[in-house]
Amino acid sequence: MNSRAIEAAATLSSWFGAQADWRGAQFPLLKNKAPNEHSVVFITNDSKPDFLRDYPDVDKPTIEIISNPLHRYKKMLLIVGKDTADLKTAVTGLAFGHKLMTGRTASIEAINQLPLREAYDAPRWLRGDRPVHFDELIDYPKQLQAQGLNNGPVKLNVRLAPDLFTWREKGIPITLQYRNTPESSMLDSRLNMLINQEFISGFLLSKNDSLLSKTKTIMPLIGNTDTTKNAEDFSLNGINLAIRNELNFDFRFGVLKKGECSVVPAGGEYGVIDGNSNIDVSGFHHYIALPDLNVFANSGFPFTKYADLHQTLVILDDNPTPEAITLLLNLTGRFGAITGYPGHRLEIQSVSDDNSNYDDKDIMIITAANTAVSDIDENAPTSKLLKNNHRIIKQAFYNGAYDADTTVDVQVSLVSSGDLAVIAGFQSPFDSERSIVSLTASTNSAYKLLDAAFNESQWLSQIKGSAAVITSQGVSSIKADDTYFVGYVPVYTLIWFHLSDHPFGLAFLSILTLLLISFIIWRLLQALTYKRLAEGDK
């Protein structure tokens, strides 16, 4: 399958993933076989599946919906072009122009140059250049409003850049503003705040009698008024930067009681989180220790740093199997769900392609375990990549005890009938600020283990460290390579951060700094003394 055709399929899967969001999406691949379900079929004038071999040629990128010729109640979305470049154009046109498409068929006349995405500007990530208001995070009207005694909590989904540098920070600041219907002074009602179902803080709701009538009169819950608004500034702890976090604001209204058994609801209870409440991460730098497969598995980082994936390169085997391509499509669909944006600038190449421009690229390698390095030019950059990958995999197999530099290595020769896969992360040998993540399968069916690891929550939580070995029994994660850091923090913060785990070094640096300051002061005082003595002699 041509690399450009795979790029088109990956772009489409990322767009579908963005539409599916938390629901998830899977993209099994069939080659020249009629699907039994709703499906997407890629066609060029020179490459048509047998079940659509009579489909007419086209002279421009085309998108069409038809009934499956073998299963009349199933639909096919056809992505058609003169060549594979047209397929990419058709998919890009669908992703960015679908709201303008009507009818059964659409052709793409032209696509204006789409701007490159900036780092950390994914639509589903909190912006880092200013405070983000709650009304920018809602999915539907009245999402910030709660009504009645047994109301469900107000929910907001929040995803942050996973490399936010939060060292020595109390948390991420939130300015929370809320309104509620005033109540009797005999009642105590509360607003509880939870993050990922864990209690964080709570506040007593207003019960000022002077506000009660005014609230009923002007309906402050839907009006632009501050009649019963309260503001609380606090720090938000318990956030997991690697995952999508759920903020819950739970209004708990008190009730009136008569006697010991009967409960009479007060009626008309409303609470609302004001849309001008905000979360502010603009004061945080970006700096993270890698490799960390946990942030890759849960947030697609570092590839999702740029939502359009324009700094991501994927390397596949020369003849990738349907299972390997399915894994790639499922991953790009996952990236789309994380960022909310199609990865239409993803670049794909095969291991034998001569591409020396690996600088300024984060690279994902999806290959079989038997991919031979010997078949590639020893001086080729791809050879260097694959050798590093094999080294990390060996370290993973030997639980980090393998050392390629030692003169004697323990070698184990065996034949196993089971499936096995490895996810490994390491620093790019071409750019110290870039990362490599490899996904290697021992057999075609082992690619399904990798899929399962990303879709089963129990397995997903076990993917961490620099290498994860996956079998049918589960996931084992280990540290198989050295830690490196990417990102930026000020120099003085960088020094204190890296010395914080070395108290003796920190003490030595502190003493050295004091001695240096003392020496400078001594020299200044000495100069002043000489000056006064010289003036006295005159």
Side-chain angles (χ1 to χ4, degrees), residues 262-320:
S262 61
V263 177
V264 180
E269 297 83 4
Y270 285 89
V272 64
I273 303 298
D274 194 271
N276 287 322
S277 301
N278 65 72
I279 306 176
D280 187 3
V281 297
S282 59
F284 291 84
H285 296 287
H286 294 272
Y287 193 68
I288 189 173
L290 295 175
D292 186 350
L293 294 181
N294 179 258
V295 296
F296 166 72
N298 287 283
S299 65
F301 191 84
F303 308 105
T304 50
K305 176 179 176 179
Y306 296 91
D308 58 3
L309 305 182
H310 76 265
Q311 294 193 11
T312 294
L313 172 67
V314 175
I315 298 178
L316 300 173
D317 283 319
D318 286 338
N319 295 298

Side-chain angles (χ1 to χ4, degrees), residues 222-271:
I222 59 174
N224 294 324
T225 176
D226 293 338
T227 305
T228 59
K229 181 181 292 187
N230 296 292
E232 300 286 351
D233 292 325
F234 57 95
S235 292
L236 189 157
N237 295 306
I239 281 286
N240 185 342
L241 297 180
I243 67 173
R244 183 182 66 174
N245 296 273
E246 183 181 83
L247 304 187
N248 286 1
F249 300 96
D250 192 6
F251 287 91
R252 288 295 171 181
F253 297 103
V255 296
L256 297 173
K257 294 186 178 181
K258 289 186 177 180
E260 296 184 0
C261 299
S262 61
V263 177
V264 180
E269 297 83 4
Y270 285 89

Side-chain angles (χ1 to χ4, degrees), residues 223-488:
N224 294 324
T225 176
D226 293 338
T227 305
T228 59
K229 181 181 292 187
N230 296 292
E232 300 286 351
D233 292 325
F234 57 95
S235 292
L236 189 157
N237 295 306
I239 281 286
N240 185 342
L241 297 180
I243 67 173
R244 183 182 66 174
N245 296 273
E246 183 181 83
L247 304 187
N248 286 1
F249 300 96
D250 192 6
F251 287 91
R252 288 295 171 181
F253 297 103
V255 296
L256 297 173
K257 294 186 178 181
K258 289 186 177 180
E260 296 184 0
C261 299
S262 61
V263 177
V264 180
E269 297 83 4
Y270 285 89
V272 64
I273 303 298
D274 194 271
N276 287 322
S277 301
N278 65 72
I279 306 176
D280 187 3
V281 297
S282 59
F284 291 84
H285 296 287
H286 294 272
Y287 193 68
I288 189 173
L290 295 175
D292 186 350
L293 294 181
N294 179 258
V295 296
F296 166 72
N298 287 283
S299 65
F301 191 84
F303 308 105
T304 50
K305 176 179 176 179
Y306 296 91
D308 58 3
L309 305 182
H310 76 265
Q311 294 193 11
T312 294
L313 172 67
V314 175
I315 298 178
L316 300 173
D317 283 319
D318 286 338
N319 295 298
T321 63
E323 291 81 3
I325 298 175
T326 294
L327 173 62
L328 171 62
L329 299 183
N330 289 341
L331 283 172
T332 51
R334 186 177 182 83
F335 292 169
I338 289 168
T339 63
Y341 194 84
H344 64 102
R345 295 191 184 276
L346 174 69
E347 182 182 349
I348 296 176
Q349 73 166 62
S350 61
V351 294
S352 62
D353 287 343
D354 184 15
N355 185 349
S356 59
N357 186 22
Y358 290 149
D359 297 336
D360 207 30
K361 291 283 188 181
D362 292 305
I363 302 172
M364 183 162 58
I365 304 172
I366 301 178
T367 57
N370 59 1
T371 298
V373 181
S374 58
D375 296 337
I376 305 171
D377 182 0
E378 185 177 354
N379 297 320
T382 307
S383 176
K384 189 174 183 179
L385 275 178
L386 293 179
K387 286 179 180 178
N388 270 282
N389 187 37
H390 288 180
R391 174 181 62 84
I392 299 297
I393 291 174
K394 284 184 178 181
Q395 288 180 327
F397 286 158
Y398 291 103
N399 200 26
Y402 177 86
D403 185 357
D405 296 328
T406 58
T407 56
V408 179
D409 296 325
V410 178
Q411 298 292 337
V412 179
S413 177
L414 56 85
V415 176
S416 175
S417 60
D419 295 330
L420 181 144
V422 178
I423 308 173
F426 53 97
Q427 188 176 28
S428 172
F430 309 104
D431 189 333
S432 61
E433 284 287 315
R434 295 296 178 173
S435 302
I436 315 290
V437 175
S438 70
L439 301 100
T440 307
S442 62
T443 63
N444 274 336
S445 56
Y447 286 112
K448 295 180 181 178
L449 288 176
L450 291 164
D451 266 331
F454 290 112
N455 288 289
E456 298 289 340
S457 58
Q458 185 176 359
W459 286 21
L460 185 65
S461 63
Q462 298 302 314
I463 300 176
K464 58 186 70 172
S466 58
V469 179
I470 306 168
T471 67
S472 59
Q473 304 302 313
V475 179
S476 300
S477 295
I478 63 169
K479 182 181 183 300
D481 204 22
D482 295 332
T483 298
Y484 60 97
F485 293 84
V486 298
Y488 166 80

Side-chain angles (χ1 to χ4, degrees), residues 123-258:
R124 291 200 176 123
W125 291 15
L126 284 186
R127 296 182 57 150
D129 57 343
R130 61 167 176 79
V132 177
H133 293 98
F134 280 18
D135 55 13
E136 299 177 64
L137 304 175
I138 62 175
D139 298 317
Y140 56 88
K142 298 185 180 180
Q143 183 176 340
L144 298 177
Q145 178 176 300
Q147 176 183 358
L149 292 175
N150 298 316
N151 62 82
V154 172
K155 296 182 180 181
L156 284 177
N157 292 317
V158 175
R159 187 180 283 277
L160 302 100
D163 63 343
L164 283 183
F165 187 68
T166 57
W167 181 64
R168 287 192 172 177
E169 296 287 347
K170 294 181 179 179
I172 297 173
I174 287 184
T175 299
L176 178 66
Q177 302 178 63
Y178 55 92
R179 301 191 299 271
N180 61 278
T181 49
E183 56 184 20
S184 169
S185 59
M186 297 182 293
L187 299 178
D188 285 329
S189 297
R190 294 174 174 81
L191 170 62
N192 296 323
M193 178 181 173
L194 300 89
I195 300 175
N196 300 325
Q197 308 303 318
E198 295 184 2
F199 176 77
I200 297 298
S201 189
F203 311 96
L204 286 175
L205 298 181
S206 173
K207 50 187 176 183
N208 191 327
D209 289 340
S210 64
L211 301 176
L212 185 59
S213 59
K214 185 180 293 186
T215 301
K216 289 182 178 180
T217 302
I218 63 174
M219 299 180 65
L221 294 178
I222 59 174
N224 294 324
T225 176
D226 293 338
T227 305
T228 59
K229 181 181 292 187
N230 296 292
E232 300 286 351
D233 292 325
F234 57 95
S235 292
L236 189 157
N237 295 306
I239 281 286
N240 185 342
L241 297 180
I243 67 173
R244 183 182 66 174
N245 296 273
E246 183 181 83
L247 304 187
N248 286 1
F249 300 96
D250 192 6
F251 287 91
R252 288 295 171 181
F253 297 103
V255 296
L256 297 173
K257 294 186 178 181
K258 289 186 177 180

